Amino acid sequence: MSASALMSLGVRAMSANYAALQATGHNISNANTEGYSRQSVVLETNGGQFTGAGFFGKGVNVATVQREHSDFLTREASTTKAIAAADEARSSQLQQLEKVFPLGEDGIGYAATSMFNALVDVANKPADTSARQVVLARAGEFATRVKTAGEQLDTLQQGVTEELKASITQVNMLAGRVAELNQKIAAVKGSGQSHNDLLDQRDQTISEISRYVQVTTMEAGDGSMSVFIGGGQKLVLGNQATRLVAVADAYDPSRLQLGVNDSGAVREMPQELVTGGSIAGLLRFQNDDLVSARNQLGQIAAAVAGSVNRQQALGLDGSQPPASGAPLLTVGAPQVLPASSNTGGATVSISVSNPTELQASDYELVRDPALPAGSYTLTRLSDGNSQTVTDGAIVDGFQISIGATAPAANDRFLLQPVSAASRNATLALENTRGLAAASPVAATFDVDNIGTASVAALSATAVNAAAAPLTATITFTNDSGAYNWELRDASNALVRSGTGTWSAGQAIRSDAWAPATPAQRYDWSLDLSGVPRSGDVLTVGNTPFPASDNGNAKAMMALRDAGLVGQSTLPSGTVVPGASVTDAYANMLAEVGVRVQGAQLSAKQSAAIADQADANLSAKVGVNLDEEAARLIQFQQSYQAAAK
């Protein structure tokens, strides 16, 4: 072998080891660079030269510089990171939501109970101005807490809106970066070699996108990487990036949804397709958790205010002459939001018919063209229950009214009976004389009665404003509770009469006498304690001294323990009682707490899985400084040997 051949072997060996040293130094330099993949020089023999004595090797060549990479581990790390980011974003928001509803004496349930308890002093001393003032103060505190909670929910919504905008901006920036890297990578692909550092940068950028929205990837023949979101919606295709946009909600412009601007056409992405990343967590919190909390708060506010105001209207205030009680509390009115895609000019409105039957839900009203004219599909969004309704239908405590112009086919409306109730909650009554403590009706017992019956409770149940006041006389005809009743006018002329039967625990109600035309000024309900005997007589008529009467104050006190919130009627006609205001608030706290705990557990588990996936990827592609130091010595010695 000639000296030149030996020199060639040494030069090639020096060159190969120099390349290996360079790659090792590059690895050591980037050991702490996020997203960097370890690189190594691939060597190959230079072939052999035939001689009569056989083939003699001609040294070594540098084939390429390859990076350690695993498509599977990279995808797994990206996917788990997206899920962890979604869980963390939702958990963080829910922890803020939990602070809106404090426990104990700072809670809304406690404030409502305090308001009802303050009526005890009014019942004991109906004319006491200071006792009446305490009731107004407690009612004002309840309204303030409801309003404050509603404002805090609005603040949370604003925070979600701003965070969504910032996240979408960041995704668009990163997607543009991927498109630029695709172009550079494709440009060098024709050389037959890969630009390892650019590939690392692209993988790292795609991983960053996964923090905001879950992606899937597909590599093209030219080396570019296509990125998709939402089950197939392109985000990056070659060197072109599709812009994500924040789309105003179809019903409520204050809420944002995720959309794409594809060649100038803006389309909203269904929430169910956005399955990972912080954007998915924010959307779930906004569209599910926050809506549920707002409706539960509104349900309590509307039920309490509606029930108290209704009982106020059934009593007499302290003015001279006494008048029916004015509203004590004011809450936000029910609202209807038409969809932005509606083509017709129809208007829809709703009004509360029974506050105790209001449910913690929004409803969607759709003009389904498959239904007869004048019929609509109403879906309760909290549970998906649907039914067909018409104009004037009463559902879950509210009445639906369709305007003169009928909705066009497929027009949609979002009905919110309670969502806005917490907004503008305030004390509507400022004058202590306006508190309606007196009942408009009173009962008297004949002095000759021999039974033990007395009044346990007596309150008005309805007002017939156009009717004249009537006096009811009830005469028991036996010891088993049978009685005759008569209604007489101011001149003592008989208006109506009939019979009935009383039993222990059952109220005597004037509306059960079912007059053909309402005749009495007030309908009322009378509960007796003790037992009447045959011949006993009692009379129910107008309260003779309203200033000292406490009948309506007692009726308002009874609302504290009554099932005011969420009463419902099953299809069978069975009435399911509602919850008291304290129980309703406790139930809301429990539901929020369960959501928080569930979200925290999910965030903890998904973070652990993401960390493990990242560790698996790092073990495969990361730089180990101990290994690199050993290789550095190896290649140095090889270089020195080749040089000699």
Side-chain angles (χ1 to χ4, degrees):
M1 179 181 293
S2 65
S4 61
L6 188 60
M7 289 290 292
S8 177
L9 283 172
V11 169
R12 289 182 182 277
M14 289 177 63
S15 178
N17 285 285
Y18 179 80
L21 284 170
Q22 188 175 9
T24 302
H26 189 54
N27 289 339
I28 294 172
S29 300
N30 289 278
N32 297 315
T33 301
E34 188 174 3
Y36 177 79
S37 299
R38 185 177 73 252
Q39 297 179 13
S40 59
V41 174
V42 178
L43 304 178
E44 62 182 10
T45 59
N46 191 33
Q49 181 179 1
F50 177 74
T51 68
F55 285 89
F56 284 87
K58 298 174 63 177
V60 65
N61 286 333
V62 176
T64 187
V65 180
Q66 73 175 14
R67 65 176 187 138
E68 294 297 332
H69 180 68
S70 170
D71 287 336
F72 171 76
L73 292 178
T74 300
R75 286 194 301 268
E76 183 181 39
S78 177
T79 300
T80 56
K81 183 182 295 183
I83 296 173
D87 290 340
E88 174 58 30
R90 178 171 178 254
S91 176
S92 176
Q93 294 294 330
L94 278 170
Q95 290 177 55
Q96 296 183 54
L97 175 63
E98 189 176 33
K99 298 176 183 177
V100 174
F101 307 110
L103 300 171
E105 295 184 2
D106 296 327
I108 293 173
Y110 183 87
T113 302
S114 297
M115 175 182 66
F116 291 125
N117 287 341
L119 288 162
V120 173
D121 290 337
V122 176
N124 292 332
K125 298 180 180 180
D128 189 347
T129 301
S130 61
R132 289 169 171 261
Q133 186 61 54
V134 171
V135 172
L136 297 187
R138 297 293 182 266
E141 176 64 20
F142 169 76
T144 298
R145 292 189 184 184
V146 169
K147 183 179 180 180
T148 299
E151 291 173 345
Q152 290 176 327
L153 294 181
D154 289 340
T155 300
L156 283 178
Q157 176 61 66
Q158 293 170 6
V160 170
T161 298
E162 294 303 319
E163 196 165 343
L164 282 172
K165 289 180 179 178
S167 298
I168 290 172
T169 299
Q170 192 69 11
V171 170
N172 287 334
M173 185 273 290
L174 294 171
R177 176 64 175 157
V178 172
E180 293 175 2
L181 290 170
N182 274 343
Q183 187 171 12
K184 294 178 180 179
I185 291 170
V188 301
K189 185 70 173 178
S191 66
Q193 301 293 340
S194 298
H195 197 308
N196 294 327
D197 291 334
L198 291 182
L199 292 173
D200 284 344
Q201 292 176 28
R202 187 177 66 186
D203 285 349
Q204 179 62 23
T205 305
I206 293 174
S207 177
E208 289 296 321
I209 294 177
S210 297
R211 296 181 184 274
Y212 300 100
V213 60
Q214 186 170 334
V215 300
T216 55
T217 58
M218 181 179 297
E219 187 172 3
D222 62 355
S224 64
M225 185 76 76
S226 297
V227 182
F228 303 92
I229 61 173
Q233 168 61 47
K234 65 178 181 179
L235 180 63
V236 179
L237 197 60
N239 62 357
Q240 299 295 321
T242 301
R243 289 188 59 80
L244 298 184
V245 293
V247 181
D249 184 81
Y251 293 116
D252 187 356
S254 68
R255 303 193 316 181
L256 296 181
Q257 306 296 341
L258 182 64
V260 293
N261 187 341
D262 193 357
S263 301
V266 177
R267 293 179 289 102
E268 180 181 330
M269 292 188 62
Q271 181 189 343
E272 57 269 19
L273 295 182
V274 187
T275 55
S278 62
I279 291 178
L282 291 172
L283 290 176
R284 182 178 177 187
F285 173 77
Q286 172 191 256
N287 299 335
D288 182 9
D289 303 314
L290 195 55
V291 169
S292 176
R294 193 186 300 277
N295 279 327
Q296 286 182 298
L297 174 63
Q299 181 191 34
I300 292 174
V304 172
S307 299
V308 168
N309 290 344
R310 183 170 58 180
Q311 193 61 51
Q312 261 279 106
L314 294 174
L316 297 177
D317 64 16
S319 60
Q320 295 297 329
S324 296
L328 178 64
L329 297 166
T330 298
V331 295
Q335 61 184 13
V336 176
L337 304 176
S340 57
S341 59
N342 286 359
T343 58
T347 58
V348 176
S349 61
I350 57 176
S351 58
V352 175
S353 59
N354 187 346
T356 63
E357 294 182 351
L358 293 171
Q359 302 299 309
S361 178
D362 292 342
Y363 300 75
E364 186 177 50
L365 184 72
V366 180
R367 174 63 186 102
D368 187 346
L371 295 176
S375 296
Y376 309 88
T377 299
L378 181 70
T379 303
R380 187 166 57 202
L381 298 182
S382 61
D383 58 8
N385 180 54
S386 295
Q387 59 182 299
T388 301
V389 298
T390 58
D391 181 26
I394 296 178
V395 179
D396 291 347
F398 66 93
Q399 184 173 27
I400 303 171
S401 300
I402 310 296
T405 303
N410 297 314
D411 277 3
R412 299 176 298 149
F413 301 85
L414 184 68
L415 313 185
Q416 295 183 322
V418 298
S419 179
S422 61
R423 296 172 182 153
N424 301 320
T426 185
L427 178 67
L429 189 64
E430 296 182 356
N431 192 330
T432 57
R433 290 194 299 271
L435 193 63
S439 173
V441 290
T444 57
F445 290 80
D446 195 281
V447 294
D448 295 327
N449 288 354
I450 59 176
T452 59
S454 61
V455 175
L458 172 62
S459 60
T461 58
V463 179
N464 301 318
L470 300 178
T471 299
T473 301
I474 299 173
T475 303
F476 289 91
T477 57
N478 61 31
D479 292 345
S480 299
Y483 60 85
N484 295 328
W485 58 266
E486 295 179 342
L487 289 176
R488 295 181 178 272
D489 61 18
S491 65
N492 204 36
L494 181 65
V495 176
R496 286 180 60 83
S497 62
T499 61
T501 302
W502 170 85
S503 59
Q506 181 179 354
I508 299 176
R509 298 180 61 94
S510 63
D511 54 9
W513 300 340
T517 302
Q520 59 268 36
R521 177 70 172 85
Y522 294 97
D523 283 330
W524 43 262
S525 175
L526 171 64
D527 290 316
L528 297 178
S529 61
V531 179
R533 299 288 297 275
S534 178
D536 284 359
V537 178
L538 66 91
T539 303
V540 179
N542 289 348
T543 300
F545 304 108
S548 59
D549 189 84
N550 64 358
N552 204 52
K554 289 183 176 180
M556 294 176 71
M557 284 170 49
L559 296 177
R560 179 191 61 185
D561 302 316
L564 301 181
V565 186
Q567 176 180 303
S568 61
T569 303
L570 300 178
S572 62
T574 302
V575 176
V576 180
S580 67
V581 60
T582 51
D583 287 344
Y585 186 68
N587 292 339
M588 181 176 67
L589 292 178
E591 181 171 332
V592 172
V594 168
R595 288 174 183 258
V596 171
Q597 291 179 357
Q600 288 179 328
L601 179 60
S602 296
K604 182 178 180 180
Q605 291 176 337
S606 58
I609 294 173
D611 289 343
Q612 184 60 52
D614 192 58
N616 293 340
L617 179 62
S618 296
K620 172 68 177 177
V621 307
V623 176
N624 185 312
L625 290 177
D626 291 336
E627 292 181 3
E628 297 302 322
R631 290 192 181 97
L632 190 64
I633 296 173
Q634 174 190 350
F635 297 138
Q636 284 176 339
Q637 293 176 345
S638 296
Y639 183 86
Q640 292 171 354
K644 293 179 180 179

